[in-house]
Amino acid sequence: MRDEGGHAGVAASCRPITDILTRVGDKWSVMVVILLGNGTKRFNEMRRLIGGISQRMLTLTLRGLERDGLVTRTVFPTVPPRVDYALTDLGRSLLVPISALGAWAHGHRDAIDAARLAFDARVDANAAQDS
Amino acid sequence: MRDEGGHAGVAASCRPITDILTRVGDKWSVMVVILLGNGTKRFNEMRRLIGGISQRMLTLTLRGLERDGLVTRTVFPTVPPRVDYALTDLGRSLLVPISALGAWAHGHRDAIDAARLAFDARVDANAAQDS
DNA sequence: CAGTATCCGGTCGGATACTG
DNA sequence: CAGTATCCGACCGGATACTG
């Protein structure tokens, strides 16, 4: 019982993981979660803090996180309107493994950059040889 | 020093994390890494085990992981050709936070599904009201 | 067996304009 | 302020055909 016995169950057992990773692995979700990790924020406040995200994408990202129960959206019926976003308990619990992955990414950043440079150099060398 | 002081540094500090997550958050990378996590595999062997991935995507996924120094590719100049894929030390170290995230995903799967159902029901109810 | 090459539909995400 | 609506280019990923 090591790696054999894999009919199609491998894909099935990874489905939830991949599912989460595609939610959190998109262009902005992690940044939003981490940002909300240190406090409630308003819409345009996040927009400014992130700097580079479009209105549309911030809305879509927040809606996705809200749908998954990671973020709450609180509307104050004032004028001008005010909407607060915050992490739920579920969202805060996600912060733990996300931070672990973040720490890994930060810690191995140089190694990855070096690997990329080496790989690209090797590819370029091969391409030049095929002239 | 809590959440203020964010000019544009938030995006910068999340760049490596997002970078890793877009690599690992694509459709197949996690599955491939976990699969290689319990041993060296050959190309078509992985293709069968994953079941559902196209030849093209498996190639691209493996090339990406190889480029980042997470996977090694060993070609045996035999006939028919044989190519072995395995995790590097870096790749194995990634397995740790990935597994943590996997455990989180697995553990909170029901909560997320429930949140989605509730959210969709709420949206449907609002849509019906706007008839 | 282990790829590469090409085509092509679907989705992601930015830009812009408009609204309560 | 906090969105929605629309358009559109870029990229992702599957299907298919071909190769050493």
Side-chain angles (χ1 to χ4, degrees):
Chain A
M1 214 186 290
R2 290 190 67 83
D3 51 298
E4 61 279 8
H7 30 355
V10 176
S13 72
C14 286
R15 187 96 46 85
I17 308 168
T18 298
D19 189 36
I20 291 301
L21 280 168
T22 51
R23 144 119 344 286
V24 124
D26 67 12
K27 199 170 180 183
W28 301 108
S29 289
V30 183
M31 216 169 303
V32 167
V33 169
I34 292 181
L35 201 62
L36 290 179
N38 62 17
T40 298
K41 300 273 178 299
R42 295 175 59 178
F43 188 85
N44 279 336
E45 185 182 1
M46 303 183 65
R47 190 151 154 54
R48 276 192 309 274
L49 286 171
I50 295 178
I53 190 172
S54 64
Q55 224 169 7
R56 173 187 143 88
M57 274 305 106
L58 183 54
T59 301
L60 289 180
T61 300
L62 287 168
R63 283 295 182 284
L65 294 171
E66 187 194 359
R67 185 173 109 99
D68 287 357
L70 301 170
V71 160
T72 58
R73 176 172 178 270
T74 311
V75 182
F76 298 90
T78 59
V79 45
R82 167 197 177 142
V83 181
D84 279 2
Y85 290 94
L87 290 183
T88 60
D89 287 345
L90 193 59
R92 266 186 297 276
S93 74
L94 175 59
L95 219 46
V96 176
I98 287 291
S99 298
L101 201 52
W104 185 94
H106 186 73
H108 297 280
R109 187 187 180 158
D110 292 349
I112 293 174
D113 285 347
R116 285 181 184 172
L117 284 172
F119 184 88
D120 292 348
R122 218 175 56 78
V123 169
D124 286 355
N126 286 9
Q129 192 180 18
D130 296 349
S131 60
Chain B
M1 217 184 287
R2 290 190 68 84
D3 52 299
E4 62 278 8
H7 29 356
V10 178
S13 73
C14 286
R15 187 98 45 86
I17 307 168
T18 299
D19 189 36
I20 290 302
L21 280 168
T22 51
R23 143 117 346 283
V24 125
D26 67 12
K27 199 169 179 183
W28 301 109
S29 288
V30 183
M31 215 170 304
V32 166
V33 169
I34 292 181
L35 200 62
L36 290 178
N38 63 17
T40 298
K41 299 275 179 299
R42 295 174 59 178
F43 188 84
N44 279 336
E45 185 182 1
M46 302 182 67
R47 190 152 153 53
R48 277 192 309 273
L49 286 171
I50 295 178
I53 190 172
S54 65
Q55 223 168 7
R56 173 188 143 88
M57 274 304 106
L58 183 53
T59 301
L60 289 180
T61 301
L62 287 167
R63 284 295 183 285
L65 295 171
E66 188 194 357
R67 186 173 110 98
D68 286 357
L70 300 171
V71 159
T72 58
R73 177 172 176 269
T74 312
V75 182
F76 298 89
T78 59
V79 44
R82 167 194 176 144
V83 181
D84 279 3
Y85 289 93
L87 290 183
T88 60
D89 287 344
L90 193 60
R92 265 186 297 276
S93 74
L94 175 60
L95 219 44
V96 176
I98 286 291
S99 297
L101 201 52
W104 185 93
H106 185 73
H108 298 279
R109 188 187 178 157
D110 292 350
I112 293 174
D113 285 347
R116 285 181 184 172
L117 284 172
F119 183 88
D120 293 348
R122 217 175 57 79
V123 169
D124 286 355
N126 285 9
Q129 192 178 18
D130 297 348
S131 59

